[in-house]
Amino acid sequence: MNFFIGCAVWAHKGWVGELYPQGTRTADFLHLYSRRFTTVEGNTTFYAVPNQETVTRWAAETPAGFEFCLKLPRDITHQGLLQSYIPAALKFLEGMRPLGEHLGPIFAQLPPSYAPALLDDLTNFLEAWPHTEAPLALEVRHPDWFREPYASNLTALLEKLSVGRVLLDSRPIYSGDDDPQLQSERRKPKLPLQLSVTAPFTLIRFISHPNLSMNQLFMEEWVRQIQQWLEMGVQIYFFVHCPIEARSPITARHFQQLLEQSGTSVPPLPWNNLEHPPNQLSLW
């Protein structure tokens, strides 16, 4: 497929009654999620590395065409220099191999403290990654990465190694007078959005506002941009986040509808093919 859409996680109890039927057991969340969306960001691996039995079970529970885009553990990406953690990163990738065809791009999210002064360290880390075996995407958060000449230097490096750029769009949650992240444990940064791709694929992390209408203009922009990239042959993974995570699935479904209404050629959303989908909650 050329377009995948999903959320950051699959095991959210607040989705029972909306995304999942009433009475759904936690053990059934992944099975049901993967029959409603086509990808998941897999935030779980950022905090804990699953054992082989768990990874094998993930593969068995998900249908053909579904992909995990797993985040490198924070014990690798958030401990200072990356070069010394190359063996750990390769070991993590090896541990995910039981996913087989379900393994999508891996992505590394760097902390705000990781600055352009560490470009040589980043280069060594990215060069050591087996790109032909598993695509890798990168998200940077230090503000200087978005300024020249550092922005161009990073783009050149990513393009050279075919590393995907993770596009973090947090504009919706900073566009109103309210602060939808007040009750959120992990605040998303306010950083410039770079609308460029550096590899045959890209990951888009759309940080949506809990009020669906506040996202509309930004989603319409993304519809136009995704149309262009799909026509260029770019493979796109679109992930919807929200400070109130219970509202992410319906926002993702709404975005899929916008794509279809625009005539964008995207695969159908499996959720829409269910005979008896759960009742949807209004977010307006």
PDB file of all heavy atoms in Angstrom, residues 88-104:
ATOM      1  N   ALA A  88      23.136  -1.714  20.491  1.00  0.00           N
ATOM      2  CA  ALA A  88      21.817  -1.864  21.101  1.00  0.00           C
ATOM      3  C   ALA A  88      20.706  -1.626  20.075  1.00  0.00           C
ATOM      4  O   ALA A  88      19.672  -2.311  20.091  1.00  0.00           O
ATOM      5  CB  ALA A  88      21.673  -0.896  22.266  1.00  0.00           C
ATOM      6  N   ALA A  89      20.921  -0.666  19.168  1.00  0.00           N
ATOM      7  CA  ALA A  89      19.927  -0.388  18.134  1.00  0.00           C
ATOM      8  C   ALA A  89      19.797  -1.574  17.185  1.00  0.00           C
ATOM      9  O   ALA A  89      18.683  -1.960  16.788  1.00  0.00           O
ATOM     10  CB  ALA A  89      20.307   0.876  17.366  1.00  0.00           C
ATOM     11  N   LEU A  90      20.919  -2.165  16.805  1.00  0.00           N
ATOM     12  CA  LEU A  90      20.887  -3.321  15.910  1.00  0.00           C
ATOM     13  C   LEU A  90      20.262  -4.525  16.601  1.00  0.00           C
ATOM     14  O   LEU A  90      19.545  -5.314  15.971  1.00  0.00           O
ATOM     15  CB  LEU A  90      22.307  -3.647  15.441  1.00  0.00           C
ATOM     16  CG  LEU A  90      23.010  -2.550  14.632  1.00  0.00           C
ATOM     17  CD1 LEU A  90      24.413  -2.978  14.246  1.00  0.00           C
ATOM     18  CD2 LEU A  90      22.207  -2.190  13.389  1.00  0.00           C
ATOM     19  N   LYS A  91      20.508  -4.665  17.897  1.00  0.00           N
ATOM     20  CA  LYS A  91      19.886  -5.752  18.657  1.00  0.00           C
ATOM     21  C   LYS A  91      18.373  -5.557  18.731  1.00  0.00           C
ATOM     22  O   LYS A  91      17.600  -6.528  18.623  1.00  0.00           O
ATOM     23  CB  LYS A  91      20.477  -5.809  20.066  1.00  0.00           C
ATOM     24  CG  LYS A  91      19.908  -6.928  20.926  1.00  0.00           C
ATOM     25  CD  LYS A  91      20.543  -6.941  22.314  1.00  0.00           C
ATOM     26  CE  LYS A  91      19.954  -8.051  23.180  1.00  0.00           C
ATOM     27  NZ  LYS A  91      20.550  -8.057  24.548  1.00  0.00           N
ATOM     28  N   PHE A  92      17.938  -4.307  18.898  1.00  0.00           N
ATOM     29  CA  PHE A  92      16.507  -4.025  18.917  1.00  0.00           C
ATOM     30  C   PHE A  92      15.871  -4.421  17.591  1.00  0.00           C
ATOM     31  O   PHE A  92      14.822  -5.071  17.570  1.00  0.00           O
ATOM     32  CB  PHE A  92      16.271  -2.535  19.191  1.00  0.00           C
ATOM     33  CG  PHE A  92      14.832  -2.126  19.049  1.00  0.00           C
ATOM     34  CD1 PHE A  92      13.914  -2.356  20.065  1.00  0.00           C
ATOM     35  CD2 PHE A  92      14.380  -1.513  17.889  1.00  0.00           C
ATOM     36  CE1 PHE A  92      12.581  -1.989  19.934  1.00  0.00           C
ATOM     37  CE2 PHE A  92      13.052  -1.141  17.745  1.00  0.00           C
ATOM     38  CZ  PHE A  92      12.151  -1.373  18.767  1.00  0.00           C
ATOM     39  N   LEU A  93      16.503  -4.038  16.490  1.00  0.00           N
ATOM     40  CA  LEU A  93      15.977  -4.392  15.178  1.00  0.00           C
ATOM     41  C   LEU A  93      15.894  -5.901  15.015  1.00  0.00           C
ATOM     42  O   LEU A  93      14.888  -6.427  14.519  1.00  0.00           O
ATOM     43  CB  LEU A  93      16.861  -3.786  14.079  1.00  0.00           C
ATOM     44  CG  LEU A  93      16.496  -4.178  12.639  1.00  0.00           C
ATOM     45  CD1 LEU A  93      15.074  -3.774  12.298  1.00  0.00           C
ATOM     46  CD2 LEU A  93      17.488  -3.557  11.658  1.00  0.00           C
ATOM     47  N   GLU A  94      16.913  -6.608  15.454  1.00  0.00           N
ATOM     48  CA  GLU A  94      16.909  -8.064  15.349  1.00  0.00           C
ATOM     49  C   GLU A  94      15.735  -8.648  16.143  1.00  0.00           C
ATOM     50  O   GLU A  94      15.099  -9.617  15.708  1.00  0.00           O
ATOM     51  CB  GLU A  94      18.231  -8.623  15.869  1.00  0.00           C
ATOM     52  CG  GLU A  94      18.411 -10.111  15.620  1.00  0.00           C
ATOM     53  CD  GLU A  94      18.456 -10.463  14.144  1.00  0.00           C
ATOM     54  OE1 GLU A  94      18.888  -9.621  13.327  1.00  0.00           O
ATOM     55  OE2 GLU A  94      18.026 -11.599  13.797  1.00  0.00           O
ATOM     56  N   GLY A  95      15.442  -8.049  17.289  1.00  0.00           N
ATOM     57  CA  GLY A  95      14.351  -8.544  18.107  1.00  0.00           C
ATOM     58  C   GLY A  95      12.979  -8.308  17.496  1.00  0.00           C
ATOM     59  O   GLY A  95      12.002  -8.970  17.865  1.00  0.00           O
ATOM     60  N   MET A  96      12.887  -7.368  16.552  1.00  0.00           N
ATOM     61  CA  MET A  96      11.607  -7.076  15.899  1.00  0.00           C
ATOM     62  C   MET A  96      11.393  -7.897  14.630  1.00  0.00           C
ATOM     63  O   MET A  96      10.316  -7.852  14.030  1.00  0.00           O
ATOM     64  CB  MET A  96      11.516  -5.584  15.550  1.00  0.00           C
ATOM     65  CG  MET A  96      11.584  -4.647  16.753  1.00  0.00           C
ATOM     66  SD  MET A  96      10.311  -4.973  18.013  1.00  0.00           S
ATOM     67  CE  MET A  96      11.349  -5.648  19.325  1.00  0.00           C
ATOM     68  N   ARG A  97      12.380  -8.670  14.233  1.00  0.00           N
ATOM     69  CA  ARG A  97      12.280  -9.404  12.970  1.00  0.00           C
ATOM     70  C   ARG A  97      11.142 -10.410  12.912  1.00  0.00           C
ATOM     71  O   ARG A  97      10.623 -10.690  11.828  1.00  0.00           O
ATOM     72  CB  ARG A  97      13.608 -10.100  12.654  1.00  0.00           C
ATOM     73  CG  ARG A  97      14.707  -9.106  12.335  1.00  0.00           C
ATOM     74  CD  ARG A  97      15.826  -9.713  11.518  1.00  0.00           C
ATOM     75  NE  ARG A  97      16.884  -8.743  11.288  1.00  0.00           N
ATOM     76  CZ  ARG A  97      16.848  -7.781  10.376  1.00  0.00           C
ATOM     77  NH1 ARG A  97      15.781  -7.654   9.612  1.00  0.00           N
ATOM     78  NH2 ARG A  97      17.863  -6.948  10.225  1.00  0.00           N
ATOM     79  N   PRO A  98      10.704 -10.993  14.045  1.00  0.00           N
ATOM     80  CA  PRO A  98       9.544 -11.889  13.958  1.00  0.00           C
ATOM     81  C   PRO A  98       8.283 -11.232  13.398  1.00  0.00           C
ATOM     82  O   PRO A  98       7.354 -11.936  12.999  1.00  0.00           O
ATOM     83  CB  PRO A  98       9.342 -12.318  15.419  1.00  0.00           C
ATOM     84  CG  PRO A  98      10.708 -12.245  16.024  1.00  0.00           C
ATOM     85  CD  PRO A  98      11.331 -11.052  15.378  1.00  0.00           C
ATOM     86  N   LEU A  99       8.257  -9.897  13.342  1.00  0.00           N
ATOM     87  CA  LEU A  99       7.102  -9.221  12.752  1.00  0.00           C
ATOM     88  C   LEU A  99       7.020  -9.476  11.253  1.00  0.00           C
ATOM     89  O   LEU A  99       5.942  -9.373  10.657  1.00  0.00           O
ATOM     90  CB  LEU A  99       7.161  -7.712  13.016  1.00  0.00           C
ATOM     91  CG  LEU A  99       6.878  -7.270  14.447  1.00  0.00           C
ATOM     92  CD1 LEU A  99       7.120  -5.776  14.598  1.00  0.00           C
ATOM     93  CD2 LEU A  99       5.454  -7.615  14.849  1.00  0.00           C
ATOM     94  N   GLY A 100       8.145  -9.792  10.624  1.00  0.00           N
ATOM     95  CA  GLY A 100       8.147 -10.099   9.203  1.00  0.00           C
ATOM     96  C   GLY A 100       7.579  -8.973   8.368  1.00  0.00           C
ATOM     97  O   GLY A 100       8.005  -7.817   8.486  1.00  0.00           O
ATOM     98  N   GLU A 101       6.587  -9.274   7.538  1.00  0.00           N
ATOM     99  CA  GLU A 101       5.992  -8.277   6.646  1.00  0.00           C
ATOM    100  C   GLU A 101       5.231  -7.195   7.401  1.00  0.00           C
ATOM    101  O   GLU A 101       4.862  -6.164   6.823  1.00  0.00           O
ATOM    102  CB  GLU A 101       5.033  -8.959   5.671  1.00  0.00           C
ATOM    103  CG  GLU A 101       3.843  -9.631   6.350  1.00  0.00           C
ATOM    104  CD  GLU A 101       2.890 -10.283   5.374  1.00  0.00           C
ATOM    105  OE1 GLU A 101       3.234 -10.394   4.187  1.00  0.00           O
ATOM    106  OE2 GLU A 101       1.792 -10.680   5.802  1.00  0.00           O
ATOM    107  N   HIS A 102       5.016  -7.400   8.689  1.00  0.00           N
ATOM    108  CA  HIS A 102       4.309  -6.404   9.490  1.00  0.00           C
ATOM    109  C   HIS A 102       5.239  -5.314  10.019  1.00  0.00           C
ATOM    110  O   HIS A 102       4.766  -4.361  10.640  1.00  0.00           O
ATOM    111  CB  HIS A 102       3.606  -7.069  10.676  1.00  0.00           C
ATOM    112  CG  HIS A 102       2.550  -8.053  10.289  1.00  0.00           C
ATOM    113  ND1 HIS A 102       1.361  -7.686   9.708  1.00  0.00           N
ATOM    114  CD2 HIS A 102       2.513  -9.405  10.364  1.00  0.00           C
ATOM    115  CE1 HIS A 102       0.623  -8.764   9.467  1.00  0.00           C
ATOM    116  NE2 HIS A 102       1.312  -9.824   9.857  1.00  0.00           N
ATOM    117  N   LEU A 103       6.530  -5.456   9.795  1.00  0.00           N
ATOM    118  CA  LEU A 103       7.483  -4.466  10.288  1.00  0.00           C
ATOM    119  C   LEU A 103       7.608  -3.321   9.293  1.00  0.00           C
ATOM    120  O   LEU A 103       8.105  -3.491   8.189  1.00  0.00           O
ATOM    121  CB  LEU A 103       8.854  -5.104  10.526  1.00  0.00           C
ATOM    122  CG  LEU A 103       9.942  -4.175  11.072  1.00  0.00           C
ATOM    123  CD1 LEU A 103       9.529  -3.599  12.421  1.00  0.00           C
ATOM    124  CD2 LEU A 103      11.282  -4.903  11.182  1.00  0.00           C
ATOM    125  N   GLY A 104       7.134  -2.149   9.683  1.00  0.00           N
ATOM    126  CA  GLY A 104       7.287  -0.956   8.869  1.00  0.00           C
ATOM    127  C   GLY A 104       8.562  -0.228   9.235  1.00  0.00           C
ATOM    128  O   GLY A 104       9.449  -0.793   9.884  1.00  0.00           O
TER     129      GLY A 104
END
